[in-house]
Amino acid sequence: MTRHEQIAPDGRLRHLLDLEGLPRAALERLLDRAQALHADAYGGTALRARLAGKAVCNLFFEPSTRTRSSFRLAATRLGADVLDFDASTSSTKKGETDADTLRTLEAMGVHAFVVRHAVDGAVAALSAVAAPGTVLVNAGDGRHAHPTQGLLDMLSIRQAKGADFARLKVAIVGDVKHSRVARSDLHALRTLGAGEIRVCAPAALMPGASELDGCRAIDGLDEALHGADVVMTLRLQRERMEEGLVPSIEEYRRDYGITAARLRGAAPDAVVMHPGPMNRGIEIDADVADGPQSLVLRQVANGVAVRMAVLEELLA
Ligand code: NCD
């Protein structure tokens, strides 16, 4: 399946696999709806009839804290039945294929699968074997994409800085090469017309030139932060990295860690973002993560509203 097949001919979303190729109107519609859902995203009961009778399965083949919990809350607050599938205790351990797992759960009446997988493209591959009408939501596949994280990041920026992204200088710092979050953020920032997108990483953690279309690749952190309105930092994703890409944690922190002192080079009202899980004292210092410029917990909160908007559009 190509990324365009996630959109039906009438413009509605059929699956959410990737933000690449998602038209600006569709992206903004989801952000607007997430914003409107805010009151109901935090325990409201008004929408419990919305997805009544639908069943949503969290199918996670990789660990997760934020994404899995917020999809579960989002589906619950829309009244869906929620099934949590843990690959570590399931028949995948007995050799069952991912496709057979999906079909087994479909046979029980599951309508939507929220899938996290270690392999790039695994969720699109499952969408190709799913029954017509079954909905797939990518909750992170390998290094490829994490579209709901991209959406919640855009919503967090919009709330903090307004909807005119053309005014913004955005710096994405750290292990961009292995980050599905950064890839989805880059697609969304381009779609929303961000004024300047800076990507800052050591050479070994910089993605290839084809992925940096419309971005400025910058090696030095101070240059990347200079006057930036939004600073996004990322975890070193060692589970997706060959050995030896980063010389040492101490050097990495010295050159690319977001500290209060380094942050003073950004715009005075800059906001700092991190998708979590954070490694405090490596890519971000605790006083920055917990400080007044941090959007980290706002991002988490927005995750519930964004996932409600996505599930509602796909299933209601
Ligand atoms: C990230 C992920 O799993 O892609 N976390 C998240 O979903 N918020 C980032 C990471 O693992 O570093």
Side-chain angles (χ1 to χ4, degrees):
M1 137 143 354
T2 70
R3 59 181 181 265
H4 301 294
E5 290 171 45
Q6 67 184 341
I7 301 169
D10 66 359
R12 277 179 63 90
L13 272 185
R14 193 186 276 156
H15 305 288
L16 182 63
L17 303 175
D18 196 348
L19 296 185
E20 184 177 10
L22 193 70
R24 182 169 183 157
L27 207 154
E28 289 187 327
R29 180 175 72 228
L30 288 169
L31 297 182
D32 291 343
R33 185 60 184 146
Q35 186 66 43
L37 282 166
H38 247 264
D40 293 292
Y42 306 99
T45 51
L47 295 173
R48 302 270 170 163
R50 204 87 181 94
L51 297 185
K54 300 284 185 184
V56 176
C57 178
N58 267 337
L59 192 56
F60 277 55
F61 298 93
E62 266 198 348
S64 171
T65 300
R66 279 149 288 270
T67 306
R68 182 177 186 143
S69 310
S70 61
F71 265 112
R72 188 184 172 93
L73 284 173
T76 306
R77 286 170 183 165
L78 289 169
D81 299 328
V82 186
L83 193 60
D84 250 310
F85 174 92
D86 182 356
S88 66
T89 56
S90 72
S91 287
T92 54
K93 290 279 173 213
K94 302 180 190 172
E96 189 161 72
T97 65
D98 297 352
D100 280 331
T101 301
L102 178 108
R103 290 195 193 101
T104 299
L105 294 161
E106 267 179 341
M108 297 177 199
V110 172
H111 303 95
F113 294 88
V114 176
V115 185
R116 169 164 289 190
H117 205 287
V119 176
D120 291 27
V123 189
L126 279 174
S127 73
V129 300
T134 294
V135 161
L136 272 291
V137 183
N138 186 355
D141 60 330
R143 338 169 157 187
H144 169 242
H146 194 345
T148 56
Q149 181 74 41
L151 290 169
L152 74 89
D153 285 345
M154 296 309 114
L155 184 62
S156 305
I157 295 174
R158 210 168 81 158
Q159 289 167 351
K161 296 284 165 195
D164 183 8
F165 278 53
R167 291 174 36 249
L168 300 179
K169 297 184 182 72
V170 181
I172 303 184
V173 179
D175 184 5
V176 182
K177 181 174 180 161
H178 301 98
S179 176
R180 54 196 176 205
V181 174
R183 282 189 178 74
S184 284
D185 282 337
L186 285 172
H187 289 305
L189 287 166
R190 281 190 282 251
T191 301
L192 295 174
E196 193 179 324
I197 308 171
R198 304 170 181 173
V199 176
C200 177
L205 301 180
M206 187 67 92
S210 64
E211 294 193 284
L212 293 174
D213 197 33
C215 307
R216 264 178 70 199
I218 302 177
D219 177 60
L221 181 59
D222 291 327
E223 187 189 346
L225 295 189
H226 183 72
D229 302 293
V230 177
V231 179
M232 294 186 179
T233 183
L234 303 162
R235 185 175 65 89
L236 283 173
Q237 289 146 84
R238 279 173 276 200
E239 73 276 25
R240 282 184 249 290
M241 217 182 262
E242 309 101 62
E243 287 292 304
L245 280 188
V246 175
S248 75
I249 294 301
E250 293 69 29
E251 276 179 60
Y252 183 81
R253 175 184 190 282
R254 184 196 65 205
D255 295 339
Y256 295 97
I258 306 295
T259 63
R262 302 304 279 271
L263 188 59
R264 282 195 278 276
D269 59 350
V271 291
V272 180
M273 303 173 67
H274 192 305
M278 293 187 283
N279 289 151
R280 290 166 180 259
I282 303 178
E283 73 272 9
I284 189 166
D285 272 9
D287 54 349
V288 175
D290 302 331
Q293 290 168 275
S294 172
L295 291 189
V296 171
L297 292 178
R298 171 89 71 90
Q299 291 171 265
V300 174
N302 281 332
V304 181
V306 156
R307 288 163 180 137
M308 285 176 77
V310 168
L311 291 173
E312 181 187 59
E313 168 142 347
L314 290 168
L315 284 167

